[in-house]
């Protein structure tokens, strides 16, 4: 069954690969980017099923206009993909409000506003899907990724609550948590804290080294990742959480094992916190 998609952040990375894969299989796509001039080849290659428009998720009114366009062009909306976003590296002490507030505006508030704009259309479609592009950084915190971790942890919590709210309408939510994939994420999509303090060289500073050494060398194949995402979207019972790649699974299993170990160690004391019975 053909679906009608709205995908944010299609100028590159997983968003671009997803848009192409969806169009290749015959679905209809409203591909968006802050600058739609990066997308004309999609319309040329798929003139019947692709439309493009500007969508800056931080700009008031852009998301609502994009949803209205999707409904006008395709007659409705079945799948929303919140993919637009970028990263930031630096220790918490190194970051400044001018650097980290725009990160939250895009990665968190932009996701919220785009989702709110799309929900009325998704409710009407019945059996819709909301795909939240989170990250392995939404599973576990890593020194040097603190601000990016915070935005993706926010997306995870929002999405888990949203999934419960929209399930009665037949809408499924999928939180995609990729590990390293060979996209532009470590390149043009990554911001760096301008301050670089020697005190954090052995902790947060290692993430700066990682970026320099791994940009364009990530082991993950974006097309294989998108194949898994499409299978999840098409599934009758999509997963709420969808880690992608070995790194994401290692992060999750390591965190959960440490979490459970700590719980077990402290449970006898931590449960003795209720008022004593009279």
């Amino acid at each position: 069954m053909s679906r009608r998609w709205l995908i944010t952040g299609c100028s590159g990375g997983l968003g671009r690969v997803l848009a192409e894969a969806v169009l290749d299989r015959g679905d209809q796509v409203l591909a968006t980017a802050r600058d739609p001039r990066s997308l004309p080849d999609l319309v040329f290659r798929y003139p019947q099923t692709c439309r493009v428009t500007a969508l800056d998720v931080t700009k008031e009114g852009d998301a609502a206009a994009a949803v209205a366009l999707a409904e006008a062009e395709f007659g409705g909306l079945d799948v929303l993909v919140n993919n637009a976003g970028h990263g930031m590296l630096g220790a918490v002490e190194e970051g400044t409000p001018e650097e980290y507030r725009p990160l939250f505006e895009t990665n968190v508030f932009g996701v919220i506003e785009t989702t709110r704009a799309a929900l009325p259309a998704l409710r009407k479609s019945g059996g819709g899907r909301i795909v939240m592009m989170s990250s392995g950084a939404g599973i576990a915190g890593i020194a040097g990724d603190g601000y990016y971790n915070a935005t993706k942890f926010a997306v995870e919590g929002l999405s888990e609550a949203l999934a419960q709210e929209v399930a009665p309408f037949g809408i499924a939510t999928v939180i995609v948590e990729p590990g390293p994939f060979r996209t532009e994420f470590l390149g043009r999509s990554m911001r760096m804290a301008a301050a670089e303090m020697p005190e954090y060289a052995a902790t947060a500073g290692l993430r700066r080294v990682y970026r320099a050494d791994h940009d364009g060398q990530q082991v993950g194949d974006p097309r294989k990742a998108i194949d898994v995402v499409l299978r999840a979207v098409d599934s009758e019972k999509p997963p709420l959480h969808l880690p992608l790649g070995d790194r994401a699974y290692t992060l999750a299993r390591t965190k959960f094992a440490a979490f459970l170990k700590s719980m077990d160690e402290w449970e006898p004391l931590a449960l003795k916190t209720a008022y004593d019975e009279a």
Side-chain angles (χ1 to χ4, degrees):
M1 181 180 67
S2 178
R3 284 193 166 100
R4 300 159 296 185
W5 298 62
L6 191 164
I7 306 173
T8 69
C10 291
S11 60
L14 292 177
R16 177 59 177 243
V17 177
L18 175 60
E20 292 179 345
V22 170
L23 288 164
D24 280 340
R25 71 181 198 168
D27 287 1
Q28 296 173 302
V29 176
L30 177 60
T32 75
R34 284 181 298 175
D35 184 357
R37 290 175 296 181
S38 62
L39 306 175
D41 63 302
L42 289 180
V43 179
F44 178 77
R45 291 160 55 195
Y46 309 95
Q48 302 302 317
T49 55
C50 182
R51 301 291 183 271
V52 303
T53 192
L55 173 50
D56 181 341
V57 298
T58 68
K59 186 177 178 182
E60 184 176 357
D62 269 21
V67 172
L69 179 60
E71 291 189 289
E73 292 290 326
F74 305 145
L77 180 65
D78 302 305
V79 185
L80 168 68
V81 182
N82 282 306
N83 173 72
H86 60 87
M88 177 179 170
L89 292 179
V92 172
E93 189 176 353
E94 292 172 339
T96 66
E98 293 76 21
E99 293 169 330
Y100 59 72
R101 287 183 183 275
L103 184 72
F104 281 81
E105 288 292 340
T106 299
N107 292 10
V108 181
F109 301 120
V111 168
I112 292 171
E113 294 307 321
T114 304
T115 303
R116 291 181 65 245
L119 281 172
L122 290 170
R123 285 202 313 274
K124 285 189 290 186
S125 73
R129 301 286 187 262
I130 300 172
V131 179
M132 298 289 202
M133 298 301 292
S134 179
S135 167
I139 298 173
I142 300 174
D145 272 342
Y147 290 111
Y148 184 60
N149 287 138
T151 64
K152 292 305 182 180
F153 272 53
V155 168
E156 299 260 338
L158 177 80
S159 301
E160 289 182 0
L162 177 69
Q164 299 172 41
E165 295 170 359
V166 301
F169 309 120
I171 301 171
T173 303
V174 181
I175 309 168
V176 181
E177 297 149 331
F181 282 85
R182 197 168 299 176
T183 69
E184 304 92 337
F185 181 73
L186 291 178
R188 66 181 180 86
S189 294
M190 183 63 69
R191 312 289 192 270
M192 305 285 284
E196 188 171 354
M197 300 171 61
E199 292 87 345
Y200 296 105
T203 53
L206 296 179
R207 291 297 290 166
R208 296 176 184 263
V209 175
Y210 175 88
R211 179 202 184 191
D213 291 345
H214 290 81
D215 183 20
Q217 304 299 316
Q218 300 96 321
V219 299
D221 183 336
R223 295 190 180 278
K224 292 181 179 179
I226 292 307
D227 286 344
V228 179
V229 173
L230 289 177
R231 290 190 66 173
V233 169
D234 291 342
S235 173
E236 184 177 341
K237 295 182 178 179
L240 175 59
H241 291 275
L242 183 62
L244 292 175
D246 179 73
R247 174 64 174 164
Y249 272 82
T250 298
L251 279 172
R253 291 197 167 108
T254 301
K255 175 176 178 173
F256 298 154
F259 197 160
L260 290 172
K261 182 175 183 292
S262 179
M263 286 178 60
D264 290 341
E265 290 174 353
W266 284 88
E267 183 177 13
L269 182 62
L271 291 185
K272 295 178 181 178
T273 51
Y275 283 107
D276 294 332
E277 294 293 336

